[in-house]
Amino acid sequence: MAKVLVVCGPTATGKTAIAAACAKKSGGVVVSADSQLVYKGLDIGTAKPTAEEMQGVTHYMIDVAEPTADYSVSDYCNTALPIINNALKEGKVPVICGGTGFYINSLLFDFSYGGVAADENLRNKYIMIEREKGREYLFSLLCKADPETAERLHPNDVKRVIRALEIYEAGGQKKSDLDDGKTKRFDYLAVAVDYPREVLYSRIETRVEEMFSRGLVSEVENLLSRGIDEKCRCMQAIGYKEVLECLKNGKNQSTMRDIIKQNTRRYAKRQITFFKKLDGIKWLKPEEATCENILELFYNAEC
């Protein structure tokens, strides 16, 4: 089975630099797995890698969607998966890099839909609910019906949310009680850097300060001037939504920075919880997270 390298984990752990270095040394490519890097024009608040940080390595799945797009996990997977397969056919190592766990799972695994026959009437019912009341409301229905499955899905993954609701209503069974049918698409080595919590939080604070010094507020103001407002999904990302709130309600920047830091710390904790459940992931001490060490693990790993 083909093998890919995954550099994942919480925000502010140096994933971008590690992935680029590994891809450069192995002659591979980087496939971003970040739900905000897909959007054009969102650069500072997403810590989008610069040309220098890319180290001359081809990076995919960055700037692939307009900021007004309602980009989903399915959209991501449908575009990124062929890129990975093409890289493998060319003998290149695909390095999947990012902190959006749902994106990474969509690439690594092929999930079945519970083995229950499709019911077009039920499916259309939930499609109409999503259109009329939105994805968050649809997802709330799944949270009530099957919280275990909801925990593994993202509200944007409408196709799987609807399928889980369909299974529940059609047969009275939770999808989480059925055989999940998760099939590995690739052999993989997944690594994440395990910073002590106080060090990670310090790195997060530094990153937020750098975003402001680079002009995060101006970036948000520019997006607003282009007609991209809080209704757009991309503007719900940490950093952007807090700046929007500040601009609307006149909060001072000091308070805004503190809120962004707090929300980013909470997000990092959720990322750690998510990735600890990834099969076979190796958590490396910062001093172990070198390109040479990771590639040695990659080539020698029993997947």
Side-chain angles (χ1 to χ4, degrees):
M1 185 181 286
K3 194 156 114 179
V4 302
L5 175 60
V6 182
V7 180
C8 57
T11 188
T13 52
K15 296 184 294 292
T16 297
I18 293 169
C22 288
K24 185 174 184 178
K25 192 170 184 65
S26 65
V29 299
V30 173
V31 179
S32 170
D34 186 297
S35 61
Q36 295 305 309
L37 293 189
V38 299
Y39 292 110
K40 300 174 184 177
L42 278 74
D43 302 329
I44 297 172
T46 62
K48 192 171 289 179
T50 63
E52 182 180 359
E53 290 169 331
M54 291 181 183
Q55 302 183 38
V57 173
T58 301
H59 282 59
Y60 293 99
M61 300 311 296
I62 296 175
D63 290 340
V64 296
E66 295 298 328
T68 51
D70 204 7
Y71 204 77
S72 71
V73 177
S74 296
D75 293 329
Y76 171 81
C77 185
N78 290 340
T79 305
L81 196 55
I83 292 170
I84 292 173
N85 287 324
N86 287 338
L88 290 167
K89 287 178 184 177
E90 294 172 0
K92 297 177 181 178
V93 175
V95 182
I96 301 171
C97 173
T100 304
F102 296 107
Y103 276 22
I104 291 173
N105 273 354
S106 76
L107 299 178
L108 297 181
F109 304 106
D110 183 13
F111 294 91
S112 76
Y113 291 128
V116 175
D119 186 317
E120 288 299 323
N121 289 330
L122 285 177
R123 185 167 299 177
N124 289 333
K125 167 188 168 181
Y126 287 112
I127 288 172
M128 292 306 299
I129 288 174
E130 188 272 331
R131 288 177 181 171
E132 293 173 2
K133 298 187 176 182
R135 293 180 175 183
E136 294 296 336
Y137 178 80
L138 183 76
F139 189 69
S140 73
L141 298 179
L142 181 61
C143 290
K144 293 176 183 177
D146 186 355
E148 293 84 2
T149 295
E151 187 177 345
R152 299 203 303 267
L153 296 179
H154 191 281
N156 288 357
D157 199 355
V158 173
K159 182 178 179 181
R160 290 191 176 96
V161 170
I162 288 177
R163 180 55 177 154
L165 286 165
E166 180 187 334
I167 288 169
Y168 180 77
E169 186 167 344
Q173 287 181 293
K174 297 178 182 179
K175 184 179 181 298
S176 55
D177 291 336
L178 302 172
D179 179 12
D180 196 32
K182 184 174 75 171
T183 304
K184 198 162 65 166
R185 284 196 174 103
F186 313 102
D187 282 335
Y188 65 87
L189 172 70
V191 298
V193 185
D194 191 13
Y195 279 100
R197 196 60 59 94
E198 66 275 10
V199 177
L200 176 60
Y201 288 172
S202 176
R203 291 173 64 91
I204 286 172
E205 292 200 1
T206 298
R207 169 172 283 193
V208 172
E209 291 297 333
E210 289 174 351
M211 288 177 178
F212 276 93
S213 66
R214 290 179 56 204
L216 176 59
V217 175
S218 296
E219 180 172 80
V220 175
E221 289 174 333
N222 180 55
L223 290 166
L224 291 171
S225 71
R226 293 166 51 195
I228 300 157
D229 60 22
E230 60 187 328
K231 295 178 183 178
C232 295
R233 186 166 297 278
C234 71
M235 297 293 262
Q236 299 306 307
I238 296 172
Y240 293 91
K241 62 182 178 182
E242 293 86 357
V243 172
L244 275 171
E245 181 69 18
C246 176
L247 293 174
K248 281 173 56 181
N249 299 318
K251 292 183 179 178
N252 63 64
Q253 285 203 15
S254 177
T255 300
M256 177 173 54
R257 292 181 192 216
D258 289 342
I259 294 172
I260 293 174
K261 290 173 184 177
Q262 180 184 62
N263 289 343
T264 306
R265 290 194 296 268
R266 289 173 176 169
Y267 177 56
K269 288 173 68 176
R270 294 196 300 272
Q271 288 176 301
I272 291 169
T273 299
F274 186 100
F275 286 114
K276 282 189 179 294
K277 298 176 183 177
L278 180 62
D279 294 341
I281 188 171
K282 293 186 181 297
W283 290 85
L284 305 176
K285 296 178 181 178
E287 61 270 22
E288 296 173 329
T290 64
C291 167
E292 293 75 17
N293 186 44
I294 291 171
L295 288 178
E296 183 178 354
L297 290 170
F298 175 74
Y299 288 117
N300 295 327
E302 294 289 337
C303 298

